């Protein structure tokens, strides 16, 4: 087994796994929620990102000597994190069976289409694009160092692609067997965790350009090991986002409870 095979497979698996998990999670909830026709927007966004990744990699190679822009990547990561937080919040609010039934009653066959279809497509695009251009550049650099586009390199990419496809299939299979409410909660939690992680990565991109200062946290080896940005700046921003999300969810739940109580009081008065 050649070095090019192993390195190419690792690059594609490493860069593609997060994007694949995001898309698989969203696809699973769309199918379970009876909105399978919206998967076309999800896959369309992902395919568009693959094409855009090649274009971006070519532009980096031509205009920036093959180096990617940390600032541009940071902006893209933040945009992806914002969409993940939006969809995560939407799912968590709608996981309540009574709220979901009310939503379907008001939206009927337009359920999910108005509120999330644009976000789902855009999220798929950003989730793939943030990894795609970098992957193309890494593979291009690997081909240069390994003496060209060898059969071993292509075989590594093919093996990694098959591995990602198999993972995607089984994740979707498991998601279809879960009841709707747990699926909504699990998908919402996953997207929220990914968004928090992305925020840390975006802060790191800006720190590398000296736009944001770096104050390293003591005993940061554990944070680094689990893939977090071990700086006080990143952890502070992530903590504020978590607190804001919890406060927003509490307010929404309180408002929903008051609305249900008002409706129940009106029915009793009738």
């Amino acid at each position: 087994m050649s070095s090019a095979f192993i390195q190419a497979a690792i690059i594609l698996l490493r860069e593609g796994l997060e994007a694949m998990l995001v898309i698989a999670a969203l696809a699973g909830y769309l199918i379970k929620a009876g909105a399978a026709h919206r998967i076309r927007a999800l896959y369309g966004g992902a395919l568009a990102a693959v094409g855009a990744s090649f274009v971006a990699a070519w532009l980096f190679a031509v205009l920036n000597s093959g180096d990617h822009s940390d600032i541009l990547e940071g902006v893209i990561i933040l945009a992806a994190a914002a969409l993940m937080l939006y969809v995560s919040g939407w799912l968590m609010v709608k996981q309540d069976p009574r709220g979901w039934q009310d939503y379907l009653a008001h939206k009927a066959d337009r359920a999910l289409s108005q509120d999330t279809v644009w976000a789902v497509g855009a999220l798929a695009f950003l989730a793939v694009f943030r990894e795609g251009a970098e992957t193309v550049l890494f593979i291009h650099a690997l081909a240069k160092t390994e003496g060209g586009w060898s059969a071993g390199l292509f075989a590594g990419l093919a093996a990694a692609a098959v591995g990602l496809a198999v993972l995607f299939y089984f994740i979707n299979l498991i998601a279809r067997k879960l009841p709707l409410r747990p699926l909504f909660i699990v998908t919402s939690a996953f997207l929220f965790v990914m968004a928090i992680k992305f925020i840390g990565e975006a802060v790191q991109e800006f720190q590398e350009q000296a736009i944001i200062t770096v104050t390293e946290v003591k005993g940061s080896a554990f944070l680094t090991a689990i893939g977090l940005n071990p700086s006080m700046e990143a952890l502070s921003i992530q903590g504020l986002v978590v607190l804001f999300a919890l406060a927003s969810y509490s307010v929404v739940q309180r408002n929903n409870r008051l609305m249900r109580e008002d409706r129940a009081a009106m029915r009793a008065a009738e």
Side-chain angles (χ1 to χ4, degrees):
M1 191 175 294
S2 68
S3 171
F5 176 94
I6 295 173
Q7 291 184 69
I10 290 174
I11 288 171
L12 185 55
L13 283 172
R14 182 188 65 207
E15 301 295 329
L17 187 59
E18 282 188 1
M20 185 274 295
L21 286 173
V22 171
I23 293 171
L26 289 172
Y29 112 76
L30 285 172
I31 292 171
K32 194 70 179 180
H37 58 292
R38 293 299 168 191
I39 289 182
R40 186 163 48 186
L42 181 73
Y43 293 162
L47 289 175
V50 172
S53 296
F54 282 99
V55 173
W58 178 79
L59 288 174
F60 283 138
V62 172
L63 302 177
N64 205 30
S65 302
D67 297 326
H68 75 281
S69 168
D70 288 334
I71 296 176
L72 177 60
E73 186 169 348
V75 171
I76 291 172
I77 293 172
L78 281 179
L83 279 170
M84 285 181 178
L85 290 171
Y86 171 82
V87 177
S88 173
W90 190 94
L91 285 169
M92 186 54 69
V93 169
K94 299 304 178 186
Q95 56 87 15
D96 177 44
R98 289 169 296 184
W100 182 244
Q101 290 170 4
D102 291 342
Y103 181 75
L104 290 179
H106 284 91
K107 299 294 185 179
D109 61 338
R110 298 166 68 188
L112 293 172
S113 63
Q114 288 185 346
D115 289 347
T116 59
V117 63
W118 68 271
V120 165
L123 179 53
F125 178 89
L126 289 169
V128 175
F129 182 70
R130 70 171 295 271
E131 306 287 356
E134 198 169 58
T135 301
V136 174
L137 288 172
F138 284 157
I139 296 298
H140 186 264
L142 176 63
K144 281 186 176 181
T145 59
E146 292 293 324
W149 296 88
S150 64
L153 189 149
F154 282 114
L157 292 176
V162 170
L164 289 173
V166 171
L167 283 173
F168 184 81
Y169 171 79
F170 281 107
I171 289 172
N172 272 322
L173 194 64
I174 294 170
R176 294 185 190 190
K177 296 182 181 298
L178 289 175
L180 186 60
R181 185 174 187 178
L183 181 62
F184 270 45
I185 294 174
V186 169
T187 306
S188 173
F190 171 74
L191 291 177
F192 185 79
V193 170
M194 291 294 292
I196 297 301
K197 183 175 182 293
F198 277 21
I199 290 171
E201 292 177 3
V203 171
Q204 183 174 341
E205 297 291 345
F206 296 134
Q207 287 173 330
E208 290 173 358
Q209 295 299 308
I211 296 174
I212 297 177
T213 58
V214 181
T215 306
E216 191 168 345
V217 178
K218 292 182 179 179
S220 59
F222 171 74
L223 296 174
T224 304
I226 61 176
L228 293 179
N229 182 335
S231 70
M232 187 64 70
E233 291 79 8
L235 294 175
S236 297
I237 294 172
Q238 290 168 320
L240 288 173
V241 171
V242 171
L243 289 175
F244 179 78
L246 291 174
S248 299
Y249 179 69
S250 298
V251 170
V252 170
Q253 289 294 91
R254 176 179 175 277
N255 290 341
N256 288 342
R257 187 183 70 253
L258 291 175
M259 288 176 61
R260 288 194 296 267
E261 290 174 355
D262 288 343
R263 283 197 294 266
M266 290 176 63
R267 293 192 191 100
E270 294 175 355

